[in-house]
Amino acid sequence: GQQVMQIPQYQHVQEGEDFTTYCNSSTTLSNIQWYKQRPGGHPVFLIQLVKSGEVKKQKRLTFQFGEAKKNSSLHITATQTTDVGTYFCAGRYWGKLIFGQGTELSVKP
Amino acid sequence: EAGVAQSPRYKIIEKRQSVAFWCNPISGHATLYWYQQILGQGPKLLIQFQNNGVVDDSQLPKDRFSAERLKGVDSTLKIQPAKLEDSAVYLCASSFPSVTRTSYEQYFGPGTRLTVT
């Protein structure tokens, strides 16, 4: 079946460093959503990207959707301890949302 | 606005026993989802309802899992009999149904952590 691959699985950074997670699909997506799950918590919606090549920013977070609508990335500038958690991309194929396996971010103060 | 409610929060059962989870979505959200999240993995969709009709249950192990949403609001997910590999967090989510937009964001409940021993 359809899969959404996400890398890396884990990322440990020093506070103030940047962080990027990448999401790839073998087939074209209708759109892609990003969620954040804090330790012990539930996924919380961050953003949705729909258009080819779309770039959206939320404060220190930058989200990109590839030109072919098969890949996406989330970049965090100058990480803070509040950024800790697992970031999931979720690609939509024909109405079905498929989650990647997530990237767990830890931030050392 | 109240969020998605789920109960119980934790459940420990022995294999071959049965268990049921309850979900109350956000008011006005016609679409309801049940996900299974195994530790270290992303949520996996088990079943999607729109009002009280099933939209997608292709990944629901129907020999042991069942779900219903009789009045188009609350939903229950049942496992009978449970297996060790069913140990996971079961997440309920809801959203507005997609009419003119490609899709809407999903709002997740706190989940039920199931341990099967």
Side-chain angles (χ1 to χ4, degrees):
Chain A
Q2 295 90 351
Q3 279 192 315
V4 173
M5 304 303 295
Q6 198 172 346
I7 56 170
Q9 189 173 358
Y10 303 98
Q11 185 77 56
H12 308 286
V13 301
Q14 192 77 33
E15 189 173 21
E17 292 181 337
D18 293 356
F19 159 77
T20 305
T21 174
Y22 301 91
C23 193
N24 290 285
S25 164
S26 58
T27 56
T28 303
L29 302 169
S30 302
N31 60 56
I32 194 158
Q33 296 179 351
W34 285 89
Y35 290 79
K36 177 182 178 181
Q37 186 171 24
R38 294 183 184 275
H42 56 274
V44 174
F45 175 82
L46 294 176
I47 208 160
Q48 176 172 275
L49 305 171
V50 179
K51 299 176 182 176
S52 169
E54 190 169 13
V55 178
K56 287 188 175 180
K57 292 190 175 184
Q58 289 180 349
K59 297 182 180 178
R60 296 177 294 103
L61 277 62
T62 302
F63 303 85
Q64 292 188 320
F65 201 11
E67 293 290 342
K69 300 182 72 172
K70 289 184 177 181
N71 57 70
S72 182
S73 65
L74 158 60
H75 179 82
I76 302 178
T77 304
T79 55
Q80 300 175 358
T81 54
T82 53
D83 296 325
V84 164
T86 301
Y87 292 84
F88 293 98
C89 62
R92 187 168 292 276
Y93 302 92
W94 298 102
K96 182 179 293 187
L97 201 64
I98 308 293
F99 280 79
Q101 61 266 53
T103 296
E104 183 179 340
L105 172 65
S106 63
V107 179
K108 187 175 181 181
Chain B
E1 175 181 89
V4 176
Q6 287 189 249
S7 67
R9 292 295 309 278
Y10 304 92
K11 191 74 178 179
I12 300 174
I13 62 172
E14 295 182 350
K15 59 185 179 184
R16 291 187 289 273
Q17 286 187 325
S18 63
V19 64
F21 313 125
W22 173 82
C23 173
N24 181 242
I26 292 173
S27 178
H29 283 191
T31 308
L32 184 147
Y33 314 80
W34 282 103
Y35 288 90
Q36 180 192 59
Q37 186 175 25
I38 292 172
L39 187 64
Q41 298 182 19
K44 172 188 161 187
L45 180 68
L46 294 175
I47 190 166
Q48 177 182 341
F49 292 94
Q50 182 138 329
N51 297 308
N52 59 351
V54 175
V55 173
D56 184 351
D57 64 356
S58 58
Q59 297 192 97
L60 187 73
K62 298 180 185 64
D63 58 334
R64 297 184 302 105
F65 286 64
S66 64
E68 60 182 13
R69 194 184 184 199
L70 292 176
K71 296 183 178 180
V73 181
D74 293 6
S75 176
T76 55
L77 176 69
K78 296 179 181 178
I79 307 175
Q80 183 180 10
K83 293 185 176 182
L84 295 176
E85 59 261 36
D86 297 332
S87 293
V89 175
Y90 290 84
L91 294 163
C92 179
S94 69
S95 72
F96 288 108
S98 176
V99 178
T100 59
R101 290 178 55 178
T102 307
S103 64
Y104 286 90
E105 60 267 33
Q106 297 184 15
Y107 294 82
F108 284 83
T112 297
R113 183 176 297 277
L114 174 67
T115 302
V116 182
T117 63

